Amino acid sequence: MRRLTTPEDIDAVFALYMHEKVVRFLGYDPMPIEDFRAIYQALLDTRCFYVYEREGRIAGFYRATRHPGRIQHVAGLGTLAVDPAFHGQGVALAMVSEAIDALKTAGVKRIELFAESDNAPALRFYEKLGFEREGTLRKYYKRAGEENYVDEYVMALLFD
C-alpha cells in the first residue's frame, strides 16, 4: 500500500535511505539524522513523496512529481528505494506499478527518471517496465569516497 509520507516516518525513511545497499544510488551521501531532517522536510513539503508499506512497515519509498505548464503531461519519478530485506519479493514492481498507474490515471503521458549507469539491477528493472534510455549525462554523479564520476542515464516511459 502506498501513502504520502508523514513527519512520523522520518526514522524508517532515514534508516532505509542510509542503508549501505541503498544510499549509493540516491542523491545524498551518508549523514547523521540531524543533517537529514532538512532534506526530509523538503521531501515532505513537496506532497509528492510516498512510502510503500508491506507487512506493517515501510518497505520502500519514491517521489513522483508532476511538471507544470506546457509539460504538465510529464512526471518525474525519483528518490526511489526498496528495503533490501524486501528484495526479490515483488515490492519494487508493486510500488512502481502503483505509481505508474496513479500517474496515468492523473493524465500523465510521459514519466521520466534518472538512473546511474553502474546500477545494473535498476536499469534492468526499469527497462522491463518499458522505460527506454533517451540520453546520457556524462560524469553527472559523484559519490563520497569514490574517485570517479558516474554517468547518469535519462530514461522515459511514454503512453499513447
Side-chain angles (χ1 to χ4, degrees):
M1 175 188 94
R2 83 180 181 112
R3 64 172 173 77
L4 283 171
T5 52
T6 67
E8 293 75 30
D9 295 323
I10 188 169
D11 291 328
V13 169
F14 175 76
L16 175 52
Y17 200 111
M18 295 300 149
H19 190 286
E20 66 183 43
K21 292 183 178 178
V22 173
V23 70
R24 71 185 309 257
F25 298 113
L26 293 176
Y28 293 94
D29 290 317
M31 68 183 74
I33 194 164
E34 295 78 26
D35 295 344
F36 185 74
R37 289 186 192 286
I39 294 164
Y40 186 71
Q41 187 60 54
L43 287 167
L44 281 177
D45 290 347
T46 68
R47 305 279 304 146
C48 298
F49 188 53
Y50 296 87
V51 292
Y52 187 84
E53 295 179 317
R54 171 84 52 99
E55 300 172 9
R57 63 185 247 216
I58 293 176
F61 56 71
Y62 69 91
R63 184 179 36 82
T65 308
R66 187 87 181 256
H67 297 306
R70 290 182 175 166
I71 57 170
Q72 63 185 317
H73 65 285
V74 179
L77 192 60
T79 315
L80 191 148
V82 171
D83 186 332
F86 288 96
H87 285 184
Q89 298 179 35
V91 170
L93 180 60
M95 181 175 74
V96 176
S97 294
E98 274 190 35
I100 290 169
D101 290 345
L103 291 168
K104 281 175 69 173
T105 299
V108 168
K109 302 292 183 200
R110 174 186 172 88
I111 301 173
E112 302 171 333
L113 60 81
F114 296 88
E116 296 85 355
S117 62
D118 63 349
N119 192 349
L123 294 170
R124 282 192 303 273
F125 174 73
Y126 296 135
E127 288 170 351
K128 187 171 139 184
L129 288 172
F131 283 86
E132 296 181 23
R133 292 184 203 177
E134 293 190 330
T136 302
L137 302 171
R138 296 179 301 149
K139 295 185 179 184
Y140 189 77
Y141 200 76
K142 176 91 165 73
R143 298 180 186 111
E146 293 185 15
E147 185 177 325
N148 297 318
Y149 287 83
V150 178
D151 291 347
E152 187 94 329
Y153 293 140
V154 178
M155 302 182 79
L157 175 65
L158 284 84
F159 310 111
D160 294 327

